[in-house]
Amino acid sequence: MKTKQFWYPLPQRLIAQHPSEKRGDDRMMVLHRDTGMLEHRKVSDFPEYITANDLLVVNDTKVFPARLLGTWSDSPGAVEILMVSPATDADSLEARGDRGGEVLSWRVMIGSGRPAREGQVAVFGPQKELRVELVKKVGGGMWTCAFVSERPLNELLDEFGHTPVPPYVHREGTREEEMADRERYQTIYAKHVGSVAAPTAGLHFTPEIFAALDAKGVQRVAVTLHVGPGTFRPVKVDDIEDHEMDFEAFAVPQETADAINACKARGGRVFCVGSTSVRTLETVAARERGPEDPLVVGGSGASNIFIYPPYQFKVCDCMLTNFHLPQSTLLMMTSALAGRERMLCAYAMAVRADYRFFSYGDCMLIV
């Protein structure tokens, strides 16, 4: 298929710059896969569409203040670093040395008007408490860096790190904005630190919605997939089959696997909250197994699965998801679940109805 087949016109005014005033107040378009019927509802109506026979799967990853703004140690030139993931053991060995203090090795993305080179040092914090030395350039435009500080890195990130909101969300850099993003660019069930982007479909859930689901007897389980910057990487090839996804670390607890297998066995539906939950479960379900083996087995690993039409889903039956960028891998995934033409028609309706798009916007329930 061609990438251009997933384009749609989107007015800039519909790209949400801030979350709704109250979590859970967003609109929810409901798309029925079998008929194509659309409903315009609220997120608070979500419990009406799921039963005690079904299963809800969320991604419990936690976003951390991974964006750092500082300067080079030998000039006033500005530098921005996005921490992506801890480096491998081999890279960590290269990053160690007699630097003093705590030394941690991370893979990062670097933004600066000055070309980056090995041995350069950037400094961050009001008192330049954190030094970051560029150790080695690695694939995908990333660098392995040595993070050196006298205090624990997580304390410093809490003090002057920035929440890595997406590039289409514009910020003035005030502390008030930062604290607001730290609360709202995070699900209420976030548990395992490691993401540089939120699993945004989960941002809509509130304790009240979960209480309503509990009252109906709906079981809720979690997977963990740490979302990387690749989630925003555009598809630049003409044929979507030529696009390669970035690897992202995931974990599926055995209790989650058991719950999914039991749900499938009783004829229930698996409701996945967001594309990250879908990718995690479809990855583990795609592993080789014998005829008597369960559909899903607990475990961990890294996934770069790319889901696009005419992919046949093995686990996901229903999906709660936000509205995604034109020609994005996320739009291609939802098109695989609901059909490309049907999805683009729903997006055209969302534009006409002034739905709010992307990470801080409204959502769609595909049932």
Side-chain angles (χ1 to χ4, degrees):
M1 298 187 75
K2 298 295 184 181
T3 300
K4 64 183 180 182
Q5 292 178 267
F6 296 88
W7 181 86
Y8 68 91
L10 177 68
Q12 287 290 114
R13 62 181 176 80
L14 295 183
I15 300 176
Q17 296 300 306
H18 297 277
S20 57
E21 186 173 339
K22 181 183 177 184
R23 191 189 292 265
D25 274 355
D26 301 290
R27 300 166 72 188
M28 181 178 72
M29 176 183 284
V30 182
L31 171 59
H32 295 262
R33 294 166 56 191
D34 53 350
T35 64
M37 183 181 74
L38 294 175
E39 298 180 75
H40 302 286
R41 306 293 296 271
K42 301 282 287 186
V43 173
S44 56
D45 299 324
F46 175 82
E48 296 181 22
Y49 293 89
I50 188 169
T51 73
N53 196 48
D54 302 322
L55 180 69
L56 185 67
V57 183
V58 302
N59 179 9
D60 64 3
T61 188
K62 189 172 186 177
V63 179
F64 68 105
R67 183 168 171 252
L68 293 167
L69 305 177
T71 61
W72 296 110
S73 63
D74 59 352
S75 77
V79 58
E80 177 178 338
I81 281 182
L82 178 66
M83 303 169 65
V84 176
S85 63
T88 62
D89 290 341
D91 291 333
S92 298
L93 288 173
E94 289 190 45
R96 291 172 187 159
D98 187 18
R99 296 179 172 89
E102 180 184 56
V103 181
L104 298 174
S105 183
W106 276 78
R107 288 195 172 191
V108 309
M109 298 180 71
I110 299 173
S112 175
R114 170 182 175 180
R117 65 179 188 276
E118 291 184 9
Q120 278 182 304
V121 175
V123 291
F124 302 92
Q127 306 301 322
K128 300 182 179 179
E129 301 98 319
L130 176 63
R131 294 171 58 84
V132 178
E133 179 182 338
L134 279 60
V135 176
K136 184 176 68 174
K137 192 172 185 178
V138 293
M142 290 192 288
W143 282 80
T144 298
C145 292
F147 281 63
V148 186
S149 60
E150 295 295 333
R151 295 165 52 198
L153 178 59
N154 61 339
E155 289 185 10
L156 299 180
L157 294 180
D158 284 341
E159 288 182 16
F160 52 77
H162 295 265
T163 301
V165 293
Y168 47 75
V169 173
H170 305 297
R171 291 290 180 262
E172 298 295 328
T174 66
R175 190 62 179 172
E176 290 76 15
E177 284 181 331
E178 171 59 28
M179 298 314 293
D181 284 328
R182 286 198 189 187
E183 177 191 358
R184 294 298 299 274
Y185 197 63
Q186 194 83 269
T187 65
I188 63 171
Y189 47 79
K191 184 176 181 181
H192 300 289
V193 175
S195 280
V196 300
T200 54
L203 299 180
H204 300 287
F205 284 106
T206 65
E208 292 77 15
I209 294 175
F210 278 164
L213 293 171
D214 292 341
K216 292 188 69 171
V218 176
Q219 185 181 3
R220 182 170 68 251
V221 295
V223 298
T224 304
L225 183 137
H226 294 316
V227 190
T231 190
F232 304 119
R233 187 159 62 88
V235 178
K236 296 183 178 180
V237 295
D238 291 332
D239 297 309
I240 64 175
E241 294 86 354
D242 295 332
H243 179 76
E244 293 185 5
M245 299 284 287
D246 293 346
F247 280 94
E248 295 170 315
F250 71 83
V252 178
Q254 188 57 47
E255 63 183 36
T256 295
D258 293 342
I260 291 169
N261 294 326
C263 178
K264 290 291 189 180
R266 65 176 179 262
R269 299 170 298 172
V270 174
F271 279 68
C272 292
V273 179
S275 62
T276 56
S277 298
V278 174
R279 284 190 284 122
T280 301
L281 295 180
E282 294 299 319
T283 295
V284 295
R287 292 173 172 172
E288 291 187 10
R289 64 183 190 279
E292 302 301 321
D293 294 334
L295 176 63
V296 177
V297 176
S300 60
S303 174
N304 70 335
I305 190 172
F306 181 18
I307 297 175
Y308 54 86
Y311 180 85
Q312 297 297 310
F313 289 82
K314 302 172 180 63
V315 180
C316 176
D317 299 298
C318 307
M319 180 183 182
L320 183 71
T321 183
N322 279 24
F323 290 92
H324 305 296
L325 287 115
Q327 300 184 164
S328 64
T329 60
L330 303 174
L331 178 57
M332 294 169 187
M333 172 190 286
T334 55
S335 296
L337 184 62
R340 184 186 67 87
E341 292 184 0
R342 186 164 287 169
M343 183 60 60
L344 291 177
C345 286
Y347 269 53
M349 175 64 74
V351 170
R352 288 197 296 271
D354 286 337
Y355 274 74
R356 300 168 72 243
F357 278 65
F358 307 159
S359 296
Y360 271 149
D362 298 312
C363 62
M364 172 187 285
L365 176 60
I366 304 171
V367 293

